[in-house]
Amino acid sequence: NKDVSDAIQKVAAAYDCKIVEGVLSHQLKQFVIDGNKVILSVSNPDTRVDDAEFEENEVYAVDIVASTGEGKPKLLDEKQTTIYKRAVDKNYHLKMKASRFIFSEINQRFPILPFTARALEEKRARLGLVECVNHDLLQPYPVLYEKPGDYVAHIKFTVLLMPNGSDRITSHPLQELQPTKTIDDPEIKAWLALGTKTKKKGGGKKKKGKKGDKAEGGAEGEAMDASTNG
């Protein structure tokens, strides 16, 4: 995992960018989005993670945020936060009736995974959420800001570590950008040439498709374009 952290920072530096601090890529398991194995985007004395080796058939949420600024975003207004997750290891006897009502709904509908406050039925949700957050029953996902004029790019996807290579199973359309920097480092160029989607190997005869069926394999060999990270 530390090899990946070093590579992420080296690529960002080559494009005169900073990797945003505090962003982690986690191993995923069923109903667990914050697994034990972690990839730290930025290594510093204040943040440490245990050494880990990747193994076949593991699943990871790769989360990379790069900035043209200092890479140290700040919270401007905590009221903008709308995403929360139940901290299952925390307990507290809530005092307010609105808080108990909302917390009961959260435990029933969103006991494990993150949720948006908009999904709560109770109109007094914001009032009840405050007490839950103040006593660590809920983990907020805050909206963070860089300095005005700086650009921030966020790439996130889920990847399976398969025996024949990595296989990206979730993604989103990437904005096509032309980098202003020329990369000469052969190691970095080799990294950027790697894909995150495994080309499927042929295994026997293919069945003839019915008329009107879409052609297969159009995006199977798609790689993340290095220009999108520039």
Side-chain angles (χ1 to χ4, degrees), residues 5-16:
S5 300
D6 293 341
I8 291 173
Q9 293 179 69
K10 190 171 182 179
V11 172
Y15 284 102
D16 295 333

Side-chain angles (χ1 to χ4, degrees), residues 72-87:
K72 298 179 180 180
K74 296 181 180 179
L75 175 65
L76 296 184
D77 184 1
E78 61 181 12
K79 293 181 180 179
Q80 290 184 320
T81 301
T82 60
I83 306 296
Y84 302 88
K85 184 168 77 75
R86 170 76 170 97

Side-chain angles (χ1 to χ4, degrees), residues 101-111:
F101 185 91
I102 291 301
F103 192 61
S104 175
E105 181 183 353
I106 293 170
N107 279 331
Q108 292 177 12
R109 299 178 58 199
F110 314 106

Side-chain angles (χ1 to χ4, degrees), residues 21-183:
E21 295 182 2
V23 180
L24 303 175
S25 295
H26 286 271
Q27 181 187 11
L28 302 178
K29 295 184 178 181
Q30 187 177 27
F31 304 122
V32 178
I33 62 173
D34 299 330
N36 294 331
K37 294 186 179 181
V38 178
I39 303 169
L40 185 63
S41 295
V42 179
S43 301
N44 58 59
D46 299 327
T47 307
R48 297 180 181 276
V49 297
D50 294 335
D51 291 349
E53 295 286 339
F54 301 120
E55 299 179 27
E56 289 183 2
N57 302 316
E58 290 182 336
V59 185
Y60 286 85
V62 178
D63 199 352
I64 301 174
V65 186
S67 168
T68 59
E70 297 179 356
K72 298 179 180 180
K74 296 181 180 179
L75 175 65
L76 296 184
D77 184 1
E78 61 181 12
K79 293 181 180 179
Q80 290 184 320
T81 301
T82 60
I83 306 296
Y84 302 88
K85 184 168 77 75
R86 170 76 170 97
V88 294
D89 59 334
K90 302 292 183 180
N91 290 287
Y92 176 79
H93 183 69
L94 296 165
K95 303 296 189 294
M96 296 173 54
K97 183 178 179 181
S99 303
R100 294 196 297 270
F101 185 91
I102 291 301
F103 192 61
S104 175
E105 181 183 353
I106 293 170
N107 279 331
Q108 292 177 12
R109 299 178 58 199
F110 314 106
I112 300 172
L113 300 179
F115 65 92
T116 172
R118 297 188 303 273
L120 298 175
E121 298 177 358
E122 175 58 49
K123 294 181 179 180
R124 296 171 295 172
R126 176 62 63 181
L127 182 63
L129 290 173
V130 172
E131 187 181 8
C132 294
V133 172
N134 289 343
H135 294 283
D136 300 323
L137 295 179
L138 297 178
Q139 173 190 341
Y141 288 72
V143 179
L144 302 177
Y145 290 85
E146 268 278 25
K147 293 181 180 179
D150 288 329
Y151 293 96
V152 177
H154 189 184
I155 298 293
K156 186 166 187 175
F157 58 89
T158 304
V159 63
L160 309 180
L161 304 188
M162 305 302 292
N164 62 334
S166 58
D167 195 356
R168 190 178 73 246
I169 60 172
T170 64
S171 63
H172 52 81
L174 299 176
Q175 183 180 0
E176 292 293 337
L177 300 172
Q178 292 300 322
T180 57
K181 297 280 293 184
T182 301
I183 305 302

